Amino acid sequence: MTPDLSESWSIRGVEIPSRLVLAPMAGVSVQAFRRQGRRYGAGLVCSEMVSVAGIQHRNERTLGYLRVASDEHPLAIQIFGSDPAAMAEAARMVEAAGADLVDINFGCPVKKVTKTGAGATLLDDPERACGVVSAVAEAVSVPVTVKMRRGLENGSRACLALGPRLVDAGASSLTLHPRSARQMYTGEADHSLTGELAAQVDVPVVASGDVTSRARAQAILATTGAAAVMVGRAAQGNPWALREILDGDATEPSREEVVAELLLFMRETVRELGERRSTGFLKKFYGWYLGRGRFPRPFKQELVQLETLDEVEQRLLAAAPGAAEVLERLTAELPDAEDDVVLDLPISIYGGG
Ligand SMILES: Cc1cc2nc3c(=O)[nH]c(=O)nc-3n(C[C@H](O)[C@H](O)[C@H](O)COP(=O)(O)O)c2cc1C
């Protein structure tokens, strides 16, 4: 039977309206990305990882502070660190800010993170990993979830031994990105491991890695027994991929739609990170939105060279004047920004998972 992606499912009582989850991505999963993901059908969105070390030291170089809006729920906030007590404290803050789920990162392969004993390193330290999960699960009343890779080394099956132990320690769902930390993003995600993991645990498993189309999503759900698929890179500057995966609607967006979504993304990001940080941060998004044959390549180059976001906005509107009206409609549908919760937890500058 073909699994129905638009069916709801739940993680220990938290209802998730579709089987499509938007991936946490450092440097990408800002509030604008998460809200857009929800609008295009993601049943669950996740913040990028927030640093628990930031609570203790406050001297980390950070991008900004996390904002949570009322239209993001259900929302998972991801934390990373290796000290159970600090993780428990962060989890309490995250719960207080309104997270519906607290997600723990055991997948980040980036050296800056792994050398502190956090992220994927914990796949090799089951005792500590379980200690972190049980400390966090005891600290909060919302469900605790874990996102992990297959293991540190290529071919590793560490996730299969660790998964059931994490569930015993209190994890209510596991997300697997079945690449090794060493692989980073090379090769392919081996979802046969996702199937093996799903068969071993009695909590929902989410499949992450290389989900780029409806056909792929359905095949993964049908062959692995996963409860949901997670979409990351395919949704960068491309919320229309979520729509295609969810209901098969592969209509190419008009230029007006593309520009309106990009402009809304820019405005919301300025609100979250401030104008100065957003100027550089947003540059990679221009290519992601305007590429895929939607606009000629020199147009993107031109935007990247402009000095202020105001100029970028003017140039975009000149290229697609009808976007102003679409943008107005999108903006009118957003809830009041004053109701946002701003979390005193830094968004990390280093990413990966
Ligand atoms: C730029 C980037 C940043 C990422 N940051 C995180 C992160 O903060 N936490 C995490 O658990 N995974 C992170 N990931 C991993 C993704 O969540 C996802 O598991 C991975 O990209 C595979 O899915 P995809 O093929 O759909 O992109 C990141 C991936 C990318 C490309």
Side-chain angles (χ1 to χ4, degrees):
M1 211 179 76
T2 313
D4 185 357
L5 277 148
S6 47
E7 200 175 71
S8 73
W9 58 295
S10 63
I11 297 178
R12 220 195 72 206
V14 174
E15 169 132 0
I16 300 167
S18 77
R19 295 185 181 275
L20 188 56
V21 179
L22 192 64
M25 287 185 284
V28 179
S29 300
V30 287
Q31 188 186 41
F33 186 73
R34 305 191 299 266
R35 297 173 94 176
Q36 182 184 66
R38 294 275 306 146
R39 281 190 286 117
Y40 280 82
L44 175 65
V45 296
C46 188
S47 76
E48 63 181 272
M49 51 191 209
V50 290
S51 168
V52 163
I55 295 183
Q56 295 162 317
H57 309 304
R58 303 224 170 270
N59 57 357
E60 229 184 329
R61 207 153 70 77
T62 53
L63 193 59
Y65 291 85
L66 206 71
R67 280 182 90 97
V68 177
S70 59
D71 59 347
E72 293 186 51
H73 301 284
L75 166 73
I77 295 184
Q78 188 183 69
I79 55 176
F80 76 97
S82 60
D83 174 45
M87 289 288 274
E89 189 191 333
R92 276 187 221 105
M93 292 174 71
V94 157
E95 181 181 40
D100 302 286
L101 303 166
V102 176
D103 189 55
I104 302 175
N105 180 311
F106 289 166
C108 183
V110 175
K111 255 223 174 71
K112 262 219 152 115
V113 169
T114 53
K115 77 175 185 203
T116 67
T121 314
L122 284 156
L123 298 171
D124 238 11
D125 191 350
E127 289 306 319
R128 183 171 279 270
C130 292
V132 166
V133 171
S134 67
V136 170
E138 272 167 34
V140 294
S141 56
V142 295
V144 173
T145 59
V146 172
K147 182 161 178 288
M148 59 183 172
R149 286 199 174 221
R150 66 182 293 164
L152 288 180
E153 297 302 328
N154 293 349
S156 169
R157 295 167 62 81
C159 61
L160 298 180
L162 185 60
R165 293 184 62 181
L166 297 176
V167 173
D168 288 344
S172 297
S173 170
L174 302 173
T175 298
L176 180 63
H177 175 202
R179 280 187 172 88
S180 69
R182 182 177 290 278
Q183 264 181 296
M184 302 293 281
Y185 296 94
T186 62
E188 277 174 24
D190 177 2
H191 283 294
S192 66
L193 278 174
T194 312
E196 287 188 63
L197 180 66
Q200 278 188 32
V201 295
D202 56 7
V203 297
V205 167
V206 179
S208 170
D210 306 339
V211 180
T212 51
S213 67
R214 179 171 173 81
R216 185 85 189 109
Q218 285 180 326
I220 290 172
L221 286 184
T223 55
T224 62
V229 289
M230 180 178 270
V231 179
R233 289 166 294 172
Q236 290 172 337
N238 194 22
W240 301 279
L242 299 174
R243 188 172 69 187
E244 190 276 328
I245 291 169
L246 192 67
D247 62 19
D249 178 357
T251 321
E252 262 298 303
S254 66
R255 284 188 166 193
E256 283 68 30
E257 275 178 276
V258 171
V259 166
E261 285 293 350
L262 174 55
L263 287 173
L264 180 61
F265 196 96
M266 289 166 61
R267 288 186 184 176
E268 292 204 284
T269 302
V270 168
R271 204 179 53 145
E272 188 178 35
L273 304 181
E275 172 106 21
R276 194 176 54 81
R277 287 198 177 97
S278 298
T279 308
F281 176 88
L282 284 166
K283 288 193 171 168
K284 59 183 181 278
F285 287 90
Y286 303 153
W288 287 340
Y289 275 91
L290 307 173
R292 304 171 207 269
R294 291 172 185 155
F295 283 83
R297 195 181 281 260
F299 183 53
K300 182 197 87 183
Q301 312 289 9
E302 192 188 320
L303 293 186
V304 172
Q305 320 249 315
L306 294 174
E307 272 179 21
T308 67
L309 291 177
D310 245 7
E311 289 170 284
V312 176
E313 194 167 319
Q314 293 317 318
R315 192 63 196 85
L316 282 166
L317 282 170
E325 204 184 308
V326 184
L327 177 63
E328 206 173 300
R329 189 162 37 77
L330 290 173
T331 310
E333 284 164 9
L334 293 175
D336 202 337
E338 284 173 13
D339 297 337
D340 280 16
V341 179
V342 180
L343 203 67
D344 195 17
L345 272 177
I347 298 173
S348 169
I349 51 158
Y350 8 95

